[in-house]
Amino acid sequence: MRKLYIFDTTLRDGEQSLGITLNVKEKLVIGRQLVKLGVDIIEAGFPASSPGDFNSVKTIAKEIKGATICGLTRAVEKDIDTCAEALRDAEAPRIHTGIAVSPVHMAKKLKMSPSQVVEAAVAAVKRAKKYVSDVEFYAEDASRSERDFLVEIVSKVIAAGATVVNIPDTVGYSTPWQYEELISYLKNHVSNIDHAVISIHCHNDLGLATANSLAGIRAGASQVEGTINGIGERAGNTSLEEVIMAVYSQKNLYGVDVMINTREIAATSRLVSRITGVAVPSHKAIVGANAFMHASGIHQDGVLKERNTYEIIDPEVVGIPRSRIVLSARSGRHALKHRLEELGYTGVQENLDDIYAKFLELGDLKSEIFDDDLHALMGNATKEVNGISIKQLSVTSSGAAHAAATVTLEIDGQVSSDAACGAGPVDAVFKAVDRIVGKTVKLEDYSLKSVSRGSEAMGDATVKIRYKNSLVVGRGISTDIFEASALAYVNALAKAAHIE
Ligand code: KIV
Ligand code: ZN
């Protein structure tokens, strides 16, 4: 069996296309978790696209070891030079350069003839090769290109030194049989194809990204590209966790082995959702909240008699513990530590006193503490975010049109209060915070959902604000939904404060 290389582009195709600006710290946290998951390649960004992206790629290249760090470029000299500079400290650097190859992209977007495109592609690979030995070439919109032209350009970039050739279904147009046939065609017609790894990169416009990726692997691709939770442009990219578990479940069907620490999948999915603010639908394969729930009586009866009657994957394999212990304020430190470790948290013992104190605070407010509450507690159930803490918050409301809020914040040790009226209590809270912080931002999105069950469940608020052209996400969790909203807003404002 050949090894299937896992290429994660959550930080590039995922982040960039959502229009969300993740800060370097957030990217590092995700990058470190991707290494724990065991991905082979992390595409950290597009360094020439902005100074912020350059800085992120540079920091990730320097700090993260244990995976190849890759940067994207166009087939443009300046992009390649900038990318090489950003990757300078990487343990294993890769430059991912390329150009569009479909008739519509070449004629209308690039305004270049096919021979000019080939020339630019070869020159780009040669330039990248001057800096690094590992060069991946992408043939953008390959699935809508002309076969002979694709064969020509792929052969020429391999001859120029490309070690990986990426054949994207950029607009999610293919069907699995077309994509399988396309990869087979290249295998049979590109004479030097054995000198490079074939990579597949699919988008989900028709809901076929996972199916197309699996078809590509069956046809001989040894690298699959995608994102965690399938986040990405339009309908998203291939969900890596889906491909990984499909291959894991039926290796013989694909002839590849996937060397991934599958037990980190659930934790990685939660982390990416928390940091990007993109919720995972409850019915999402592998990582959705209901993916391993059995509701109907017949199914429950079957699973109790024999798990695999209705369960094709053991949830523990993807990091979801089977036993559903419910803790309460009466639970001791040992039970809490045991459960947190079962949920995949490490280093609990060292911080147990702090965690237990927060747990008891929560236990005073909620009679039962579920796994989701524990994730929230370990994530950000704190009243302090990035140097700003909420000291006091009160809201009065008599109908949506008559709401008022008073907020007291401590910012870097200085306490300030203000009050505002608003079109509803959340609006009033945000306006009071605005008056204290004194920053002009545009609220793009606000959502609130409950963590776990019951009317005493914690509220999980997500806020997206636009500041100087960047979209910034903030998240807050509390048993008081107004406090959760204020925390999320303050969290986003604190992050925005670091944008130049
Ligand atoms: O979808 C695509 O074609 C891409 C390339 C830039 C690799 O993301
Ligand atoms: Zn893409």
Side-chain angles (χ1 to χ4, degrees):
M1 286 216 189
R2 63 188 199 281
K3 174 180 157 89
L4 179 65
Y5 290 89
I6 306 295
F7 179 114
D8 181 279
T9 183
T10 305
L11 299 179
R12 199 278 299 171
D13 223 353
E15 186 244 14
Q16 207 175 285
S17 55
L18 294 170
I20 290 167
T21 308
L22 302 181
N23 61 38
V24 182
K25 220 166 108 197
E26 291 169 322
K27 286 193 171 186
L28 275 174
V29 172
I30 294 179
R32 292 205 172 98
Q33 179 60 31
L34 291 172
V35 171
K36 252 176 135 182
L37 177 65
V39 306
D40 299 285
I41 302 107
I42 296 174
E43 187 164 55
F46 177 4
S49 67
S50 70
D53 227 26
F54 175 86
N55 193 30
S56 296
V57 176
K58 192 167 176 54
T59 310
I60 288 174
K62 187 158 179 237
E63 303 285 329
I64 294 188
K65 308 294 165 200
T68 294
I69 306 298
C70 175
L72 186 85
T73 86
R74 293 166 297 176
V76 169
E77 284 187 1
K78 180 183 77 61
D79 278 27
I80 297 166
D81 300 346
T82 308
C83 186
E85 173 58 24
L87 292 173
R88 202 148 45 134
D89 296 324
E91 189 178 59
R94 174 181 295 182
I95 293 179
H96 188 189
T97 189
I99 193 163
V101 298
S102 63
V104 62
H105 275 238
M106 291 190 290
K108 305 288 178 196
K109 183 181 84 173
L110 300 173
K111 302 196 188 318
M112 285 166 83
S113 68
S115 58
Q116 286 172 321
V117 167
V118 173
E119 202 181 312
V122 168
V125 170
K126 287 190 173 156
R127 191 161 188 100
K129 235 15 212 190
K130 288 210 288 193
Y131 295 110
V132 295
S133 58
D134 191 1
V135 174
E136 174 168 342
F137 173 80
Y138 64 85
E140 190 185 0
D141 207 14
S143 54
R144 293 193 299 170
S145 65
E146 278 164 8
R147 287 291 159 90
D148 290 349
F149 179 65
L150 189 60
V151 167
E152 180 193 342
I153 197 163
V154 168
S155 323
K156 289 190 171 156
V157 295
I158 295 175
T163 41
V164 182
V165 283
N166 178 10
I167 313 298
D169 181 27
T170 302
V171 290
Y173 176 71
S174 256
T175 57
W177 45 96
Q178 286 171 322
Y179 200 57
E180 182 166 4
E181 203 269 320
L182 174 65
I183 302 299
S184 299
Y185 190 88
L186 293 175
K187 275 198 82 96
N188 294 329
H189 292 83
V190 174
S191 58
N192 53 1
I193 197 73
D194 291 342
H195 294 118
V197 166
I198 300 180
S199 184
I200 49 186
H201 177 116
C202 298
H203 281 263
N204 205 29
D205 299 67
L206 294 172
L208 292 171
T210 298
N212 285 340
S213 299
L214 293 170
I217 295 167
R218 248 168 74 98
S222 295
Q223 176 177 288
V224 60
E225 306 191 4
T227 60
I228 302 297
N229 299 337
I231 62 170
E233 190 120 32
R234 307 182 307 275
N237 285 63
T238 300
S239 284
L240 279 181
E241 66 279 3
E242 292 180 9
V243 173
I244 289 167
M245 290 318 294
V247 172
Y248 177 96
S249 306
Q250 302 197 67
K251 290 192 184 94
N252 291 337
L253 212 58
Y254 304 99
V256 292
D257 215 346
V258 59
M259 284 34 162
I260 281 282
N261 183 4
T262 58
R263 285 174 197 270
E264 290 294 332
I265 287 178
T268 313
S269 161
R270 269 196 311 271
L271 182 78
V272 168
S273 170
R274 178 163 68 76
I275 293 183
T276 58
V278 180
V280 177
S282 53
H283 59 277
K284 166 91 174 59
I286 316 296
V287 290
N290 294 347
F292 298 98
M293 296 280 188
H294 303 280
S296 84
I298 293 173
H299 289 205
Q300 289 173 345
D301 176 60
V303 169
L304 288 173
K305 287 176 176 149
E306 169 56 54
R307 185 185 65 77
N308 74 16
T309 48
Y310 288 100
E311 226 169 55
I312 55 161
I313 296 166
D314 180 346
E316 292 194 349
V317 169
V318 295
I320 301 172
R322 177 156 289 286
S323 65
R324 301 273 155 116
I325 290 180
V326 179
L327 300 172
S328 73
R330 287 174 303 285
S331 307
R333 284 159 197 267
H334 183 222
L336 173 65
K337 176 172 171 277
H338 178 76
R339 190 61 185 162
L340 288 172
E341 283 172 353
E342 269 188 336
L343 291 170
Y345 291 98
T346 50
V348 175
Q349 181 62 50
E350 295 89 87
N351 303 306
L352 193 55
D353 285 346
D354 280 356
I355 298 171
Y356 191 62
K358 279 199 233 164
F359 170 80
L360 289 181
E361 256 177 49
L362 185 59
D364 280 345
L365 300 168
K366 292 189 85 233
S367 50
E368 291 180 314
I369 298 178
F370 299 96
D371 287 349
D372 286 342
D373 297 318
L374 293 178
H375 291 310
L377 187 107
M378 296 302 283
N380 65 352
T382 158
K383 292 187 174 37
E384 205 211 294
V385 267
N386 300 353
I388 308 183
S389 60
I390 297 173
K391 291 282 155 202
Q392 199 259 328
L393 174 81
S394 66
V395 175
T396 52
S397 165
S398 55
H402 303 283
T406 308
V407 177
T408 305
L409 298 182
E410 183 175 328
I411 305 174
D412 296 329
Q414 208 179 321
V415 177
S416 325
S417 299
D418 217 322
C421 294
V426 173
D427 186 42
V429 168
F430 290 178
K431 284 190 170 134
V433 171
D434 280 345
R435 289 169 70 104
I436 300 172
V437 176
K439 206 180 254 318
T440 313
V441 299
K442 181 165 181 266
L443 180 68
E444 293 267 344
D445 197 18
Y446 162 74
S447 65
L448 180 73
K449 67 181 175 64
S450 78
V451 175
S452 74
R453 289 157 259 169
S455 58
E456 58 177 19
M458 291 201 280
D460 177 349
T462 301
V463 159
K464 291 182 189 156
I465 57 169
R466 186 157 301 276
Y467 180 65
K468 289 190 179 169
N469 261 341
S470 294
L471 195 59
V472 184
V473 181
R475 192 109 181 248
I477 296 174
S478 169
T479 43
D480 175 334
I481 56 170
F482 298 119
E483 186 173 70
S485 307
L487 280 165
Y489 194 57
V490 163
N491 183 215
L493 287 172
K495 286 190 203 169
H498 292 103
I499 295 173
E500 292 306 304

